[in-house]
Amino acid sequence: MVTRSVVCFGLVILITSGSLVAAADIPWQAYHKTSQILDLFKLASAHTTHLARYQDIPDPDHNSELSLPLITVTDFKTGETGKEVILLTAGEHARELITSEIVYWLYQVLTGKDAELLSWPAAASFASQRKQMGLGAGNLQDWVQDLLKKVVFKIVPIANIEGRKAAEEGDSCLRRTFSGVDLNRNWGTEWKQQALDDEDYGGPHPFSEPESRIVKLIAESSPIRSFVNIHSGEYALYVPWDSHPDLASSLMADTHVVLEQLNIWCQCMHGAGGIVAGYLAFGTSMDYMYERLHVPYPLTIEVYGPKGLGKLSTGGHPRHLAQAQPARLENQAQNGVNDVPHMQQHQDNEPVNGSIENHEELHSQDQVKQGTISQDQLVQVQRSQKQHSQQQVKEQFSDGGIKGKAVEGQAQAVPIRKADCFATFNPPTVQEYQEVVISWVATLLTLADHLAAHPTASHAAMDAEQHQQPLPKGVTHKMDLAKYDPHTTCMQCALLVLHCLQSAHTLQHNVAGEKLAAYAQAEVAKCGLVQENWQ
């Protein structure tokens, strides 16, 4: 999600014009062409019908001839009903080739074709770490086979197909679709009108693009338990909000636990995107999945950053350190999940100006409060932040010997050639490619393991939540509920609880159902409803 202009340590990084990067510069001994990836899914699913099924999903509005591939992977011998569903989307941004490579290899592992991946040098540390974490019994395939009895993976391997093809052929800085739209700004939550020439232009209106409409249709067609949007440009694990400098208040109670489990593999920045990323992003799929479709575990993962950009060992990302503002920090709430620093909203995704020296300690301390980093990690971050980040900016963003020099309070333009774009968003060597792939395949399997170990108490109840009553009249956003009459809001919530309660009645001898029923009755009582109103 790195944008066209980024301010960090007083530098403005600009992508300059230049000749296209030769396709030969991509290490094709590791990477796959778009046609190879799509052919793999089509052909392999035909031979593994008990594990994988392939579909071409057309535009639901019939406004285009475009379709997107959807691969569903599970143990079909045990069916799909009652399983936890994970929806993965990759390749939204054309230049982020590595994102589709990760789901390519995840698919290979899920369908028993893991021999090549396990032959990589990085696989040894994967096996060791998995054993240390107690993930699965037996070997990798034993673990995977057990997961597929409990989990359904739905994979959109390339959301921006024509854009990826162009990036493969040398247009290595291309982010948007051929129609000029950033797909991850085209969704209906907090969508904002942008200038046509903005690299994160979100289209003329929400869901103007067939790709977004198709992914939305897929998400609406299944009870999605987790949505994972895969990007690159840094290392990070994000949860909502993208569009607000806050941690979403209705996330699952164990969200922080999930983030810490996943971060064992990444060791990178993690938390609410609008806080940790250092900028606000409007109209993103993650926010929509959370706000409108009520997906319990919505995530955006950033799978690669040059020179470890975003890793805790390198001080995270220099961009996010400028966000903590002392005046806001002094006034923040003493308790609650939203005890976080705020920042000004910049529609161009530009970070707030500020002195790094004055704010980095406050911001890092606040991350400890949130639980996004541990106290030990804080010490590690503090030790490396200054010495690494300034050197990183100088080395990473250079053009023909032009070096960036950080000048406090002053923006200095440092060009970056298109020749550098590939390595900014994708591992440039085979070794780095393999390390990144294994790390994130492991991360996604770990997420699946958590969902399998903590199944939905009642899938019927989840269905009710997916189709809950609309928000009260005049309320367009969950965060606006507090501005309206609390009794109206309570009644609205009670209606949802009643749906859950009615579903729970079908679980006569189910402990989870009994607990849900007891909780629902208590919530209904708070709103002054009587049992006769719903029986």
Side-chain angles (χ1 to χ4, degrees):
M1 294 195 295
V2 178
T3 56
R4 62 186 172 87
S5 61
V6 177
V7 178
C8 51
F9 283 92
L11 300 177
V12 178
I13 311 305
L14 302 175
I15 296 176
T16 64
S17 60
S19 60
L20 294 179
V21 180
D25 292 342
I26 300 172
W28 290 114
Q29 64 269 41
Y31 286 83
H32 301 82
K33 293 289 186 74
T34 295
S35 58
Q36 290 177 291
I37 293 174
L38 297 181
D39 287 346
L40 166 90
F41 287 117
K42 289 179 181 178
L43 296 175
S45 62
H47 298 290
T48 56
T49 53
H50 69 288
L51 291 177
R53 293 177 183 171
Y54 179 95
Q55 297 170 274
D56 279 309
I57 309 298
D59 180 4
D61 286 2
H62 307 291
N63 290 337
S64 75
E65 296 180 359
L66 185 142
S67 64
L68 289 181
L70 172 66
I71 299 87
T72 303
V73 186
T74 192
D75 181 354
F76 284 102
K77 293 178 180 178
T78 57
E80 294 183 69
T81 305
K83 294 182 178 181
E84 313 304 312
V85 181
I86 303 175
L87 174 59
L88 304 161
T89 60
E92 275 191 331
H93 293 156
R95 61 197 178 193
E96 299 168 10
L97 274 60
I98 186 61
T99 63
S100 297
E101 299 291 324
I102 287 168
V103 295
Y104 172 98
W105 286 106
L106 174 67
Y107 176 82
Q108 297 283 52
V109 169
L110 292 176
T111 54
K113 304 175 184 67
D114 57 8
E116 182 178 349
L117 181 142
L118 292 178
S119 71
W120 297 347
S125 60
F126 166 50
S128 175
Q129 184 66 60
R130 184 174 76 84
K131 183 177 180 181
Q132 189 175 351
M133 294 171 67
L135 292 171
N139 60 28
L140 177 58
Q141 272 310 302
D142 291 334
W143 181 32
V144 166
Q145 288 171 17
D146 183 60
L147 287 178
L148 293 179
K149 290 180 173 65
K150 305 169 185 176
V151 178
V152 177
F153 293 83
K154 290 185 174 291
I155 303 170
V156 179
I158 308 174
N160 183 0
I161 294 175
E162 295 306 315
R164 190 184 201 274
K165 289 178 180 178
E168 292 169 357
E169 296 305 317
D171 196 358
S172 61
C173 289
L174 179 64
R175 172 186 173 98
R176 303 182 295 182
T177 63
F178 271 16
S179 61
V181 175
D182 182 340
L183 293 177
N184 201 31
R185 300 293 185 274
N186 189 232
W187 290 70
T189 294
E190 296 297 318
W191 178 89
K192 290 187 181 295
Q193 182 69 59
Q194 304 274 14
L196 282 169
D197 61 349
D198 277 353
E199 189 157 274
D200 56 353
Y201 171 64
H205 56 80
F207 299 110
S208 61
E209 305 312 297
E211 296 92 341
S212 302
R213 295 194 293 266
I214 292 170
V215 175
K216 175 175 175 283
L217 173 66
I218 293 168
E220 290 173 337
S221 301
S222 299
I224 305 298
R225 186 94 189 279
S226 181
F227 170 73
V228 184
N229 194 14
I230 309 174
H231 286 275
S232 65
E234 61 193 20
Y235 288 97
L237 291 157
Y238 294 138
V239 294
W241 298 101
D242 275 332
S243 54
H244 300 270
D246 290 295
L247 179 66
S249 60
S250 299
L251 289 169
M252 298 293 287
D254 64 347
T255 295
H256 69 289
V257 175
V258 174
L259 284 176
E260 291 301 333
Q261 285 181 337
L262 303 185
N263 200 44
I264 289 174
W265 301 104
C266 181
Q267 290 295 301
C268 58
M269 306 185 301
H270 53 293
I275 302 167
V276 180
Y279 64 88
L280 300 182
F282 303 98
T284 67
S285 55
M286 179 177 73
D287 277 6
Y288 187 92
M289 294 291 176
Y290 167 74
E291 166 66 20
R292 302 293 179 86
L293 299 188
H294 317 294
V295 173
Y297 296 97
L299 293 162
T300 295
I301 61 175
E302 295 275 352
V303 299
Y304 169 78
K307 300 184 185 298
L309 192 65
K311 291 279 191 178
L312 294 175
S313 61
T314 66
H317 195 305
R319 183 182 60 228
H320 87 284
L321 297 176
Q323 306 317 307
Q325 299 179 60
R328 298 273 183 115
L329 281 170
E330 291 171 5
N331 295 325
Q332 66 182 324
Q334 297 301 311
N335 299 296
V337 295
N338 287 325
D339 184 17
V340 294
H342 284 50
M343 66 181 183
Q344 299 170 2
Q345 296 187 14
H346 283 239
Q347 293 187 14
D348 290 332
N349 292 345
E350 294 181 359
V352 180
N353 292 327
S355 167
I356 301 303
E357 288 77 7
N358 291 341
H359 304 325
E360 64 181 335
E361 176 68 18
L362 287 170
H363 185 84
S364 297
Q365 289 286 359
D366 194 72
Q367 284 184 302
V368 175
K369 288 183 188 178
Q370 298 173 51
T372 56
I373 63 174
S374 67
Q375 187 66 41
D376 290 342
Q377 289 169 333
L378 169 65
V379 174
Q380 188 178 19
V381 169
Q382 290 171 328
R383 184 181 299 120
S384 61
Q385 273 172 341
K386 283 188 178 180
Q387 65 182 31
H388 179 86
S389 296
Q390 293 187 11
Q391 183 64 27
Q392 184 182 53
V393 171
K394 291 179 183 179
E395 292 177 353
Q396 179 187 341
F397 302 110
S398 61
D399 183 10
I402 299 177
K403 293 290 183 180
K405 181 179 180 181
V407 180
E408 185 177 341
Q410 178 181 348
Q412 177 181 347
V414 180
I416 176 172
R417 299 173 303 170
K418 281 192 173 183
D420 297 326
C421 271
F422 175 77
T424 298
F425 298 97
N426 304 280
T429 68
V430 173
Q431 178 182 342
E432 286 181 280
Y433 172 97
Q434 293 176 351
E435 291 170 352
V436 167
V437 166
I438 283 187
S439 173
W440 288 103
V441 167
T443 301
L444 295 171
L445 291 176
T446 301
L447 173 63
D449 190 88
H450 180 88
L451 299 183
H454 302 83
T456 308
S458 163
H459 287 268
M462 186 175 179
D463 263 352
E465 182 180 354
Q466 288 279 78
H467 302 95
Q468 65 174 290
Q469 297 292 319
L471 293 171
K473 185 178 181 180
V475 181
T476 59
H477 196 286
K478 281 182 180 178
M479 295 185 72
D480 293 334
L481 283 174
K483 303 174 185 177
Y484 288 78
D485 176 60
H487 180 68
T488 301
T489 300
C490 187
M491 291 285 286
Q492 190 68 42
C493 293
L495 289 173
L496 168 60
V497 172
L498 292 177
H499 282 301
C500 296
L501 179 56
Q502 289 165 340
S503 298
H505 280 179
T506 66
L507 306 173
Q508 296 296 326
H509 302 289
N510 186 297
V511 174
E514 292 173 2
K515 288 183 178 179
L516 179 61
Y519 170 77
Q521 288 172 331
E523 292 301 304
V524 168
K526 290 179 184 178
C527 290
L529 297 179
V530 294
Q531 191 169 356
E532 288 76 11
N533 286 348
W534 49 266
Q535 275 189 331

